[in-house]
Amino acid sequence: MQFLRAAVLWTTLALRAFSAIPDLVIFDEDDPLGRDYYDASVGASNGGSLLKLRSSSRDKMPISEISAARGEVSGVIEWLSARGGDWQLHVFRPGFPLLDTVPYARLTFAVNSPRSIAPDALPLVELQDLRGSRRSIPLSSVLRGTDADSNSWQTVSIPLSALEGDPAFQPDRVKHVTFRQNRSDRQAHILWLDDLKFMARDRLEFTNRPPAPLNLTACSGDRTVTLSWNAVQNAGVTRYRVSRKTPDGQFAELPGSPVVMQSVADVHVTNGISYTYIVRAENHAGLSENSSQISASPKAFATDDDFLESVQATAFDYFWREANPQNGMIRDRTQPWSAASIAAIGFGLSAINIGIDHGWITREAGSDRILKTLRTLWSAPQSTNEINTSGYKGWFYHFLTFEDGTRFGTSELSSIDTALLLAGVLDAQQFFNRDSATEREIRDLARSIFDRVDWKWMLNRGDTLAMGWYPDRGFTSARWRGYNEASILYILGIGATGPNALAPEHWRNWTKTYDWRTSHGYSFIHFAPLFGHQYSACWIDFRDIQDDYTRAKGITYFENSRRATLTQREYCIANPGRFPGYAPDVWGLTACDGPGSGGAHGYIARGAPPAENDDGTIAPTAAGGSLPFAPVECVRALKAIYDGHREKIWCGYGFRDAFNLKEDWWGQDVIGIDQGPILLMAENMRTGRVWERMRKNEVLQRGLAQAGFQPLNK
C-alpha cells in the first residue's frame, strides 16, 4: 500500500510539474477583504499567553502599514508566551479552501521586526490537515533570529520534507499554516509577516526566461490607452511589465506596472499625442524579451455611444481574459488566487455573444470557448461529496476551482448563482443557432445542463426556494423572500418541464412577500441595493409585461426598477450621511468591496432607500447596471466617474469595483458580477439584442406565462 501511495504521489507530481503549477499564495501584501485586518485568519490565546488580534470579534491577524516585503502592508504577529499558556494564529488562503501541498516543494515567507528576536523566542510553524494531524518545525531551525532593522526583511524557506509530525498527515488536505507558541519567555515580541506561500515544485523547471507576450493590441479612449495581449502559457509567468517609450527613445515602466492581468490602461496620457508601448512577461527566472511595439493616440469620445462602446469592450475583456481557456472557468475577481464564480460564468457566456456581435472576437473563437465551458459544466462530477464535485442535483457550488471546475473551499450550493449561470447557458443556446457540429453540441449541452436541475428539491419542503445547501449540514435557513434578484430564479424553475419543475403557485408565494412603499416621491417594490433590480433584467425584458402584482399596482417590473434607480439617485443627492463625492452625477450603491476601515465596511451589500450599510462607498456598476432604466442619468454618472476619477478607478478591464472618497480608498479589483451587468445592460440599452434573443427562449416564455405575465393592457 505504501508503495502504491508513493507511486501515485510521484505520478501526480510529474503530471503537475508538466502543467506548470503556479506558486500557492496564502497571504501577501494585499488583503482582499479589507486592509483593517486579514479576514482569512483565526487566532486565540490562553493560560496567560497573549496574542494581539483585530476585528469586531477580536480573532483576526492585524495588518501593518509600517513595513512590507512587497507592496504596502504586512501581517502582524504580536505575542507574549507564558509558561503553561498557549497562543496560535491560523492563516488560511482567502475563501478557506483545503490546500493540496503535494505539488509544492517548500513553504516560504518573509519576516521582519522592529526589535531583535532571539532564535529560541521564535514561534513554531505548523501545518494541520483536515483530520487534525500536524507537521511542525521551530522557526529557529531555519531563521537565526531577527535584527532590529525595520527596513531589512529576511526570507524563510522551509522544505516541506523537513516538517515533522504525524505520519498519517494528509498533504492533499491541509487546512492552514499555523504560527504558535514555542518557548515561554514572558517577553513581548512583534514579527511582521509577508508573502506567505508554497513554492511550486515545477518552479524548479523554469530556469529559462519566458517567451515574449504576443498579439499586443491597443485601444484609444479619452486620455486613455488600453493595452491587451495574450497570456503566456506554461512558462511560470507571475506578472507582466508594461513600458512606454519616453521622448529620448528609451522605455520606462508605466505607473501601476507590473500587473497580473493581461490588460492595462495607461491613464497618464494626453489626447492627440502618439504613444508607443512594449510588454514583457516575468517568471522566477527573469523577464522575457520585449513584445512587438504598438502605438496609439488617445482621443476624446465623440459621442456617448463611443464612450459606452469603450466601457463595453473593456468589460468584455474581463470575461475573455480572466477565463481559463481550457475549461471556460471565469475568475470571480482579478486576483491570481481567485476561484471561478458561477455567476461570472453566466454573465461571461452572454458576454461572448456580445463580443461576437461587436466583432471583438470571431464566432469561431467564441463558440470554441463556450463549448469548452459547457462541456466542463456538464461533465464535472455532481454528488453529495464535500470535495471533487461541482454540484448536486443540477445545482452548482457558488465558487469552483479555476483549474478543474470543482467545488472551491467550503462554498455553498447556490440557487441564485446557479440561476445566473443558467441564464447565460440559455443565451448561448439561443445565440448559436447554426447547423454546424459545434453549434449543435452547444445547444444540446445547454438543454442537458438546464434539464438536469431538480427545482423542487431546492424548495426543501417549503413554499419558497432555499438560498443554498451544504453537503455537511444541509439547506440554509434563509429563503428567497421579498423582492430582490431572484425573479429569474423562480421564472426559470417555473419554465422548466418534467416532474422537478416549480409550480406557478411559487411565483405567487414569492410576490406575497414584497415590500411596497413610497420614498422620495416614488412608489415601488423596495430593495435597497441596485443589483437586486438589475440581475434578472439583464436577460428578461420586463418593459411591456405584467404579472398579477404589478398589474394591480399599475406598473411593470421595468418601471419598478426605473423608480428604484431614480430614487437612489435622489437619496445620494440628499446625502444624509454627508459623504464627500456624492453628487447628482456621482452616485450608486450596491454590493461591492469597501475600505474595511474608518467605520466603513469591507465587501457588503450597500443600498438606499432605506439606507443599508451606506458608508460613502460608490460602485460604478450601480449606475452601469441600470442603464436601460434611466439612460440619461446613468450615462452621466458613468461619464462623471470616468472624467473625475479616471486615473484611480479605470483599468484595462474598465471600471474597478468601487471607491470611497471619505477614506481615500480605491478598490483595486475588477469583479465579474460588476462587469456583467454593465456589459449586458449597456447592450440592452443600445441594441436590445440580449433581450431580443431571450424573448424567443422557450423556457423563459413558458416561465413568464405560467407565472401570470401578460402583455400590457391585455
Side-chain angles (χ1 to χ4, degrees):
M1 180 63 72
Q2 291 297 324
F3 173 79
L4 179 61
R5 286 172 62 111
V8 171
L9 171 63
W10 285 108
T11 300
T12 302
L13 291 178
L15 289 173
R16 291 180 176 178
F18 182 76
S19 61
I21 299 293
D23 291 346
L24 181 63
V25 176
I26 308 301
F27 169 69
D28 59 16
E29 73 276 9
D30 295 317
D31 172 18
L33 300 175
R35 286 167 54 138
D36 191 39
Y37 65 91
Y38 183 61
D39 188 80
S41 60
V42 176
S45 59
N46 58 59
S49 294
L50 301 175
L51 177 66
K52 184 176 181 179
L53 297 166
R54 293 290 301 275
S55 84
S56 58
S57 54
R58 295 289 174 182
D59 63 348
K60 304 298 183 184
M61 178 172 65
I63 295 295
S64 172
E65 298 184 4
I66 297 174
S67 180
R70 291 191 305 118
E72 300 177 358
V73 299
S74 60
V76 181
I77 309 175
E78 185 171 348
W79 77 93
L80 183 149
S81 298
R83 186 180 300 276
D86 187 31
W87 63 264
Q88 52 191 291
L89 177 67
H90 308 300
V91 184
F92 298 79
R93 197 177 190 209
F96 300 87
L98 290 178
L99 309 173
D100 182 357
T101 64
V102 172
Y104 300 93
R106 54 186 64 242
L107 176 67
T108 69
F109 50 90
V111 294
N112 194 6
S113 179
R115 300 184 295 273
S116 61
I117 304 175
D120 58 359
L122 293 169
L124 294 171
V125 181
E126 180 179 273
L127 303 182
Q128 186 177 136
D129 68 16
L130 188 62
R131 298 189 305 185
S133 299
R134 299 173 177 176
R135 299 172 67 186
S136 62
I137 187 173
L139 184 53
S140 60
S141 66
V142 289
L143 178 66
R144 304 309 299 168
T146 66
D147 57 32
D149 180 0
S150 60
N151 294 315
S152 174
W153 282 78
Q154 297 168 263
T155 299
V156 176
S157 180
I158 304 174
L160 295 186
S161 59
L163 287 164
E164 301 174 352
D166 189 336
F169 178 82
Q170 296 178 304
D172 61 338
R173 309 196 77 188
V174 176
K175 292 196 299 183
H176 44 64
V177 178
T178 297
F179 297 87
R180 67 183 312 148
Q181 177 168 320
N182 189 8
R183 176 176 175 266
S184 56
D185 62 355
R186 296 294 304 176
Q187 299 289 321
H189 300 290
I190 298 176
L191 191 69
W192 293 321
L193 172 70
D194 205 351
D195 208 16
L196 176 65
K197 62 188 177 183
F198 290 96
M199 184 188 295
R201 293 178 185 271
D202 66 352
R203 173 168 167 174
L204 304 177
E205 301 293 323
F206 297 118
T207 56
N208 296 321
R209 296 187 297 171
L214 300 176
N215 195 29
L216 177 61
T217 61
C219 180
S220 298
D222 183 17
R223 295 160 292 162
T224 302
V225 174
T226 301
L227 305 165
S228 300
W229 54 90
N230 290 351
V232 176
Q233 303 289 341
N234 302 321
V237 170
T238 57
R239 53 191 182 175
Y240 299 90
R241 294 187 179 273
V242 184
S243 298
R244 184 211 300 156
K245 185 178 286 187
T246 59
D248 63 2
Q250 302 300 310
F251 280 93
E253 195 165 350
L254 289 181
S257 175
V259 295
V260 296
M261 305 184 299
Q262 289 85 60
S263 186
V264 70
D266 184 2
V267 293
H268 302 283
V269 291
T270 302
N271 288 345
I273 298 176
S274 180
Y275 298 89
T276 301
Y277 302 88
I278 58 170
V279 179
R280 293 181 291 174
E282 183 176 10
N283 67 7
H284 299 299
L287 289 168
S288 73
E289 297 298 322
N290 297 339
S291 69
S292 59
Q293 297 183 18
I294 194 166
S295 298
S297 299
K299 57 185 177 181
F301 298 116
T303 63
D304 288 350
D305 212 48
D306 288 343
F307 169 68
L308 290 176
E309 180 76 8
S310 177
V311 170
Q312 285 190 274
T314 49
F316 164 79
D317 254 9
Y318 175 91
F319 295 103
W320 189 250
R321 298 184 185 278
E322 291 301 311
N324 185 331
Q326 303 306 314
N327 60 26
M329 297 294 101
I330 298 174
R331 295 189 195 279
D332 175 61
R333 59 174 65 218
T334 48
Q335 290 289 347
W337 50 260
S338 177
S341 155
I342 60 170
I345 296 170
F347 284 117
L349 292 170
S350 289
I352 289 173
N353 302 337
I354 295 170
I356 294 170
D357 278 340
H358 284 253
W360 300 325
I361 55 171
T362 65
R363 190 178 184 98
E364 291 71 27
S367 61
D368 177 71
R369 177 70 62 82
I370 283 184
L371 182 57
K372 288 177 179 176
T373 307
L374 298 187
R375 283 174 174 171
T376 300
L377 294 172
W378 176 247
S379 62
Q382 291 242 336
S383 73
T384 58
N385 293 339
E386 294 185 43
I387 60 174
N388 299 323
T389 181
S390 67
Y392 182 52
K393 289 189 175 290
W395 302 90
F396 287 88
Y397 285 104
H398 192 159
F399 298 110
L400 304 177
T401 61
F402 189 69
E403 293 75 21
D404 65 6
T406 56
R407 184 190 188 195
F408 181 84
T410 57
S411 64
E412 83 286 7
L413 206 69
S414 173
S415 54
I416 185 57
D417 291 278
T418 298
L420 300 176
L421 169 65
L422 293 173
V425 168
L426 294 179
D427 191 17
Q429 182 187 33
Q430 292 299 127
F431 186 92
F432 291 97
N433 55 10
R434 295 181 181 176
D435 188 23
S436 68
T438 295
E439 298 200 13
R440 286 196 301 271
E441 186 177 356
I442 287 174
R443 295 193 297 272
D444 290 343
L445 284 170
R447 188 176 302 108
S448 297
I449 291 167
F450 183 84
D451 289 345
R452 181 173 57 180
V453 179
D454 188 339
W455 299 90
K456 285 185 176 177
W457 175 77
M458 191 58 76
L459 289 168
N460 188 27
R461 297 183 295 277
D463 60 2
T464 54
L465 289 164
M467 288 191 176
W469 175 87
Y470 292 90
D472 56 338
R473 57 184 185 271
F475 288 96
T476 62
S477 59
R479 290 183 173 273
W480 288 108
R481 300 171 60 83
Y483 181 74
N484 47 48
E485 71 273 28
S487 299
I488 197 164
L489 171 64
Y490 281 99
I491 290 170
L492 290 178
I494 293 169
T497 57
N500 294 322
L502 295 181
E505 66 192 58
H506 295 297
W507 179 263
R508 292 187 290 274
N509 292 339
W510 188 52
T511 61
K512 290 176 184 176
T513 64
Y514 285 177
D515 177 22
W516 179 273
R517 65 172 79 178
T518 299
S519 298
H520 293 273
Y522 292 98
S523 297
F524 60 102
I525 314 165
H526 275 54
F527 182 76
L530 281 180
F531 75 87
H533 300 271
Q534 298 167 350
Y535 284 5
S536 296
C538 287
W539 291 279
I540 302 176
D541 183 0
F542 286 112
R543 287 177 295 181
D544 298 316
I545 56 175
Q546 295 173 314
D547 66 347
D548 291 343
Y549 187 96
T550 53
R551 190 176 301 109
K553 296 294 186 181
I555 64 168
T556 63
Y557 284 104
F558 181 92
E559 172 61 19
N560 196 82
S561 297
R562 187 187 76 88
R563 296 180 185 184
T565 299
L566 295 176
T567 302
Q568 190 182 102
R569 176 175 176 268
E570 291 296 328
Y571 168 89
C572 289
I573 293 172
N575 193 11
R578 299 295 181 263
F579 296 112
Y582 286 23
D585 290 337
V586 180
W587 53 272
L589 310 178
T590 191
C592 63
D593 285 344
S597 61
H601 303 281
Y603 188 92
I604 202 168
R606 298 167 170 84
E612 181 178 319
N613 303 317
D614 179 21
D615 58 8
T617 303
I618 292 174
T621 189
S626 285
L627 279 164
F629 307 139
V632 172
E633 293 81 359
C634 290
V635 170
R636 284 177 178 170
L638 292 180
K639 290 183 69 177
I641 294 171
Y642 179 92
D643 288 339
H645 306 297
R646 182 190 75 263
E647 294 185 0
K648 293 184 177 179
I649 199 68
W650 187 260
C651 70
Y653 295 147
F655 288 108
R656 299 185 194 272
D657 175 53
F659 63 96
N660 185 307
L661 295 183
K662 179 176 182 291
E663 297 300 316
D664 191 24
W665 175 85
W666 303 87
Q668 293 304 298
D669 288 356
V670 181
I671 299 180
I673 58 174
D674 287 352
Q675 303 308 82
I678 293 174
L679 174 57
L680 271 66
M681 293 300 256
E683 189 68 13
N684 284 325
M685 187 194 81
R686 298 178 71 200
T687 71
R689 286 176 183 148
V690 181
W691 284 343
E692 181 182 352
R693 283 195 301 272
M694 297 302 282
R695 277 198 300 269
K696 300 173 184 177
N697 182 266
E698 293 181 356
V699 171
L700 282 185
Q701 288 178 344
R702 194 164 46 242
L704 289 167
Q706 294 190 32
F709 283 86
Q710 296 179 3
L712 280 173
N713 302 320
K714 182 174 179 180

